[in-house]
Amino acid sequence: MADIIDTNVIAVSNFENENVRTDCLEACINYLSSYTNRTYAVDSENRIFNEYFRYARRAGTPNVGDAFAAWLWNNQANPNFCELVTITESGDEVIVFNEIPFNEELLGFDKADQKFLAVAIACTGLGNIVNATDSDWNQYREAVQNTGVQVTELCPDTYSVEG
């Protein structure tokens, strides 16, 4: 099973979220520090990398998130560490990738996060989303799990969902 890292894990590891608690920061840093022990999946069109590199620097002294993003970029063609997954845009305004089955429970799910879900569904053996601070993964947990994808919450107490 491949892990698909939400960009917020990289941002937190790079100290980009000053409101995050120390235990969340440590969880993200610890997770990304052990990157060579896992397999990751990203899309073949670089949608995920384009988002990563809005929060990760490619020059200077790297933080953990920077180092992880650079390592994954450099190893994206290495099947021991990374699976490149083709996902296709649906042209739909609600479910934006063909790989995501239409499910009314997913209505309102953040379009920007759908690329991670589409990759998780399309990768070999289904993927595992790794999240730190994005409440959508918790709010839509059941709908996401109904697709067969699991979500690992590094900072489960970071947000609360009403209702």
Side-chain angles (χ1 to χ4, degrees), residues 17-72:
N17 186 338
E18 60 193 43
N19 297 321
V20 74
R21 292 189 333 256
T22 303
D23 61 331
C24 180
L25 174 64
E26 290 173 356
C28 292
I29 289 173
N30 288 339
Y31 174 83
L32 290 183
S33 293
S34 62
Y35 54 84
T36 59
N37 297 330
R38 295 181 180 85
T39 302
Y40 301 93
V42 293
D43 67 287
S44 59
E45 297 293 319
N46 292 325
R47 292 174 188 94
I48 291 175
F49 277 121
N50 289 339
E51 188 169 315
Y52 284 175
F53 286 113
R54 288 199 317 249
Y55 297 91
R57 296 179 308 261
R58 296 184 193 214
T61 304
N63 287 316
V64 173
D66 301 322
F68 169 78
W71 175 85
L72 189 58

Side-chain angles (χ1 to χ4, degrees), residues 21 27 51 66 81 96 98 101 106-107 124 127 141 150 160:
R21 292 189 333 256
E51 188 169 315
D66 301 322
F81 296 117
V96 296
N98 289 327
L106 286 171
L107 296 179
T124 305
R141 176 179 292 279
Q150 298 299 310
S160 62

Side-chain angles (χ1 to χ4, degrees), residues 1-161:
M1 177 186 307
D3 283 356
I4 298 85
I5 312 303
D6 192 302
T7 307
N8 64 66
V9 176
I10 292 170
V12 168
S13 296
N14 280 344
F15 305 93
E16 296 286 333
N17 186 338
E18 60 193 43
N19 297 321
V20 74
R21 292 189 333 256
T22 303
D23 61 331
C24 180
L25 174 64
E26 290 173 356
C28 292
I29 289 173
N30 288 339
Y31 174 83
L32 290 183
S33 293
S34 62
Y35 54 84
T36 59
N37 297 330
R38 295 181 180 85
T39 302
Y40 301 93
V42 293
D43 67 287
S44 59
E45 297 293 319
N46 292 325
R47 292 174 188 94
I48 291 175
F49 277 121
N50 289 339
E51 188 169 315
Y52 284 175
F53 286 113
R54 288 199 317 249
Y55 297 91
R57 296 179 308 261
R58 296 184 193 214
T61 304
N63 287 316
V64 173
D66 301 322
F68 169 78
W71 175 85
L72 189 58
W73 175 260
N74 291 334
N75 283 282
Q76 64 183 298
N78 184 338
N80 294 319
F81 296 117
C82 189
E83 180 179 354
L84 287 175
V85 178
T86 300
I87 56 175
T88 53
E89 293 183 15
S90 66
D92 186 68
E93 292 292 318
V94 178
I95 303 296
V96 296
F97 292 99
N98 289 327
E99 291 71 22
I100 301 173
F102 180 81
N103 179 335
E104 288 196 18
E105 295 175 327
L106 286 171
L107 296 179
F109 187 73
D110 186 0
K111 292 178 191 177
D113 288 335
Q114 289 187 32
K115 65 182 158 293
F116 300 110
L117 181 56
V119 168
I121 291 169
C123 72
T124 305
L126 293 174
N128 174 56
I129 304 291
V130 180
N131 177 52
T133 60
D134 189 339
S135 63
D136 272 2
W137 295 110
N138 190 43
Q139 183 178 354
Y140 292 91
R141 176 179 292 279
E142 189 173 323
V144 169
Q145 288 177 337
N146 286 340
T147 68
V149 172
Q150 298 299 310
V151 177
T152 298
E153 295 285 358
L154 296 178
C155 310
D157 298 325
T158 298
Y159 46 78
S160 62
V161 177

